Structure formats: C-alpha cells, structure tokens
Amino acid sequence: MLCRGWASKFKNEMRPFAVLLKHMSENSTTKGGRDPGEYFFSDKVQAIMRHLSRIDMDKIFRVKREGQKIETPEYKFMTTEQLDKLMSEMKQKAEQKLQMPPVVNAQEDVRTVLSVEPKLKGYDSSKYVFTDITYGISDRDRVIVVRDTDGTLRKADREERHRMNQLYFERPGRSYSKPRMFEDEYLQDLLKRKEYEFILDRACAQFDPDDPDFVNVRTATYDHINQAKEFDSLRSTRHFGPLAFYLAWNNSIDDLLIDILNGSRLDEAVSLVELNHVLHPNLKSAKVNKSDGDIEYVKAYAELDSKKRNDVELALQNYAQRQFHSIELEAEESQGR
C-alpha cells in the first residue's frame, strides 16, 4: 500500500522527458529499426494520450490507502471567482499527477572493458568498485567502474550501478535489491488480483523506464489488462496513456476501442484510431480523411485494418443507435414542454 507514496516521490524526481529520452535513446536496443521513445515524446502523441487518460478529479484526488492518518475535511465559503481560481489550480495539479512514465526500449547491458592488468590477477578474491560520489551528477552519468579479480577494469553493469547509486544516494521507495513481488510467481498472483496500479507504481519507483525488468513488468501488466478488458482500472491514472500507446504500438487497439465505444466516447475512439495511424502510417485506413466524419473515420479502420472487425462494427452500430434514441428522447421532451 506504500507504493503510491513511493511512486509519487519517484515522479517528482524524474528529469524532463526530453533529457530522459536523450539518455535512453543513446543506449537502448531497437527492434525492427524502431524505437517507441521517438514517437512517445512527440507533442501530438502526448496530447492524444492525455485526452485518452481523462481527468476525473474524484479518482485522481481520491483518498488512497497508504497507511497514513486521514485528515478531517476543511470547508470554506468562496466567491465564484475564488472557486474558479481554485478549480484551475486543481486541474494543473491533476495534470501533474497524470505525468506518464515513458514507453521506451530496454537498454542493452553492454560489457565495456577499459583496461586489462594481468599482473593484478589473483591479487584479491573480491572485486573492487570505484564510484564517483560527487553531488549533482545524475545516476546515469555517474562514473562507476569495477576491477575484477582477473585484473580487468570495466564499466559497472546495470545491477552494479543500481546498487552503488542506491547505496550512496538512496532514492525513497527504491530498494537495494529487486523486490520479490516482481518474480513471476508473485507477479502473476498480483495480476490475478488485478492490482495493476500497485504493480506499475511500485515498478516506477524501483526501476528506470528502460530497465529490462521494468519493461517485462510493464508488458506483462498491460497484456493482462488487455486480455481481461480491465481498462477502467487505469483510467485517470498516469498509466493509462502509456497503456494506450503500448496497445497502439503493437497494433492491438481493438478491445480498448470497443470499450471506449461502449462508453459512448466517440471523440476518444477517434483519438485512439489516430494514435494507431501515427504509429502505423502504412495502414490502409490511415489514408482516410478525418474530415469525412468521426463515425466514418472509425468505421474505415474497422473495415480495413481491425483484427476484430465484426465486434468493432457492432460497437459502432450500438453507439449510433444510442445517439439516435437520445436525440429522439430530447425531441419528445422539448415538444412536451
């Protein structure tokens, strides 16, 4: 239950996305010649993900079970101007809480040898780790080298860097070793219990976004949510945008699209299809002009590229019928007046 507090502290310490992307893109492995980070940080994609996330104030500012004492509510009398100003401030705070952890490739752990001194072989039975503990240097840029027992001087690997950084510059919420909850046995149990936000918040606190362990946990969680169709569990959290991006990146938006249409959110359905087109510009439906109308835009995707065409088209028909009945009802009520 403490994960949300850890994740909040982790989020506040995150550097701007542009700087984070620079470090990750330099060291990440790309599959198929594509790096999701190059798309994730674009202004257009960020705007779409924020729209899909929805800002539900009640959910964002809900009282969370973190073991702390719940404060007594405070009531104030305000003018309309004061209320409007307060609501504007709360909206800004909500957007900060929805700051999204990036979806990037896993960083490859490359062994970099700096020098080899055969004369030092067997000098000691333990490795020596040298760490630059200068303040103001980021964990990624900090110089950490290791002298192995065979005399090899090399850059520290990922695990060694994590342990040394945590030893000298402890980050709140991050443990010295990987928590057992991320081992497959325990992770699967948490997924079955649908503790999705708990898992992702704790993973954000423990790992960097391009850590292979984070990528594995994120992938397992997103896949489980998609299979169980538990999309509401992450709505209005900072993880929903990355979930939508992940599904679009893998061209698997159909279940989420159906869920959105069943919720009568055509604007979000259009945004999701548009996101899919941004990431996959070669799709047949990407050539359809949005000016033809929102329903036609989503319908074109269903007909030309959807893997669940019948289900998406049915959800679209049901949406159209609900809208038609709503218009009829409004007309009858206006006539009755």
Side-chain angles (χ1 to χ4, degrees), residues 135-325:
Y135 284 96
I137 300 177
S138 71
D139 288 351
R140 287 177 173 271
D141 296 330
R142 191 175 306 284
V143 176
I144 304 176
V145 297
V146 179
R147 176 74 74 177
D148 288 325
T149 56
D150 63 357
T152 300
L153 183 67
R154 58 176 174 80
K155 289 184 178 180
D157 60 30
R158 183 186 303 105
E159 182 181 356
E160 291 164 339
R161 290 191 63 86
H162 171 87
R163 292 167 61 189
M164 291 302 102
N165 279 316
Q166 188 64 10
L167 178 64
Y168 290 108
F169 301 95
E170 182 179 1
R171 181 178 293 180
R174 175 172 289 189
S175 61
Y176 189 68
S177 57
K178 184 171 75 172
R180 296 187 67 186
M181 64 170 284
F182 296 121
E183 296 177 8
D184 188 64
E185 176 186 356
Y186 301 103
L187 179 61
Q188 291 303 319
D189 180 63
L190 287 169
L191 290 172
K192 290 178 182 178
R193 288 156 48 188
K194 302 179 182 179
E195 298 282 357
Y196 305 122
E197 190 176 3
F198 170 82
I199 295 170
L200 294 171
D201 278 346
R202 186 67 182 88
C204 285
Q206 181 65 29
F207 308 114
D208 286 334
D210 60 349
D211 189 305
D213 285 323
F214 179 82
V215 173
N216 292 337
V217 170
R218 180 197 68 199
T219 299
T221 305
Y222 288 167
D223 286 343
H224 197 279
I225 290 172
N226 190 42
Q227 292 170 7
K229 300 179 178 59
E230 291 287 341
F231 304 109
D232 274 339
S233 63
L234 291 187
R235 275 200 174 93
S236 292
T237 73
R238 64 198 183 109
H239 303 294
F240 190 86
L243 167 65
F245 179 91
Y246 171 82
L247 295 176
W249 181 257
N250 291 285
N251 198 19
S252 301
I253 66 170
D254 289 348
D255 288 321
L256 178 56
L257 181 61
I258 293 170
D259 180 83
I260 290 173
L261 288 172
N262 288 340
S264 298
R265 301 296 292 260
L266 182 61
D267 58 327
E268 292 183 9
V270 171
S271 293
L272 182 60
V273 173
E274 184 179 12
L275 176 61
N276 206 49
H277 288 161
V278 170
L279 302 182
H280 305 283
N282 294 326
L283 290 176
K284 296 177 182 178
S285 59
K287 300 177 177 62
V288 176
N289 197 324
K290 285 179 63 178
S291 61
D292 294 340
D294 290 348
I295 291 182
E296 292 301 320
Y297 184 68
V298 177
K299 185 178 180 181
Y301 164 77
E303 293 177 349
L304 300 175
D305 295 304
S306 176
K307 300 172 185 176
K308 298 184 177 181
R309 174 177 175 177
N310 293 336
D311 294 334
V312 175
E313 288 183 338
L314 179 60
L316 198 56
Q317 291 172 9
N318 291 337
Y319 166 80
Q321 289 177 0
R322 288 194 301 272
Q323 293 300 109
F324 178 76
H325 291 320

